[in-house]
Amino acid sequence: MKKLYIIRHAKSSWKDEMLNDFERPLNKRGKLNAPMMGSRLKEKGVMPDIILSSPAKRAKSTAEMIAKEIGYEKKVLFDENIYESSVDELHKILTELDDKNSTVFLVGHNPSLNALAEYYVNFSQNIPTCGIVEIAFACDKWADIEHKNAKLLSFDYPKKSDG
């Protein structure tokens, strides 16, 4: 079984209008939400074998904060193909992963993450900032992941209440 956690970057700041999109940092809420979501993953005992992230500042910060919170000690891998990517590009990145990785965090942006979740499990809700969609694939190779063997396991986001 392969597990994919689709993680949208935390809330970013629009304060500095001179910054290009790639350079936008997290805002105050984003800096609170990323560790909080990391903490929720830690409570569930989730530990990825690999974390792939867009190198855009807000995604990079989100990935690093979550990694720190869960005690992930490897390097977060940054792939510029995740930034402004299509479903096909994201699917290609995932299918080329080393099969020794069973659990993968993919940290990126909408609309492509939403489209990816819809592609695999017909997920039609909006993934809010710092939202996490957990998908399991009934296969042993990343090359074999597809809609037919995918199952939505959970959907969590900062404002989701526990009750």
Side-chain angles (χ1 to χ4, degrees):
M1 180 175 317
K2 298 296 180 199
K3 257 196 194 170
L4 173 64
Y5 290 80
I6 297 173
I7 304 173
R8 184 175 173 199
H9 66 78
K11 196 85 175 148
S12 59
S13 173
W14 292 87
K15 226 184 257 178
D16 185 346
E17 293 173 15
M18 299 303 285
L19 283 181
N20 70 25
D21 182 70
F22 192 84
E23 293 299 324
R24 283 193 298 116
L26 295 180
N27 69 10
K28 191 173 162 189
R29 194 169 101 205
K31 289 176 188 167
L32 293 172
N33 286 349
M36 178 184 77
M37 293 306 289
S39 176
R40 288 190 195 173
L41 289 167
K42 186 176 182 177
E43 283 170 23
K44 287 171 70 176
V46 177
M47 179 58 72
D49 296 301
I50 188 171
I51 299 177
L52 298 172
S53 175
S54 156
K57 192 168 189 174
R58 60 196 182 278
K60 188 176 183 179
S61 298
T62 301
E64 289 171 342
M65 287 177 175
I66 288 174
K68 183 178 180 201
E69 199 63 37
I70 63 173
Y72 180 81
E73 295 181 350
K74 298 179 220 167
K75 273 195 181 327
V76 173
L77 302 177
F78 299 102
D79 184 338
E80 62 272 357
N81 295 315
I82 296 171
Y83 181 70
E84 295 187 335
S85 59
S86 67
V87 169
D88 289 343
E89 287 170 297
L90 291 175
H91 180 69
K92 183 176 189 294
I93 289 167
L94 293 169
T95 58
E96 291 175 355
L97 286 169
D98 189 317
D99 292 325
K100 72 175 195 263
N101 299 306
S102 295
T103 302
V104 173
F105 284 9
L106 177 67
V107 184
H109 313 267
N110 268 355
S112 52
L113 292 185
N114 248 111
L116 188 70
E118 190 169 333
Y119 172 74
Y120 287 134
V121 292
N122 294 327
F123 188 82
S124 59
Q125 295 179 62
N126 178 51
I127 302 171
T129 49
C130 222
I132 302 173
V133 176
E134 177 188 13
I135 298 172
F137 296 94
C139 59
D140 296 323
K141 292 180 168 45
W142 285 103
D144 296 336
I145 66 171
E146 59 180 307
H147 172 80
K148 285 188 295 212
N149 60 22
K151 181 182 179 194
L152 176 67
L153 296 182
S154 69
F155 173 43
D156 198 6
Y157 51 93
K159 290 187 175 177
K160 187 174 185 181
S161 66
D162 293 317

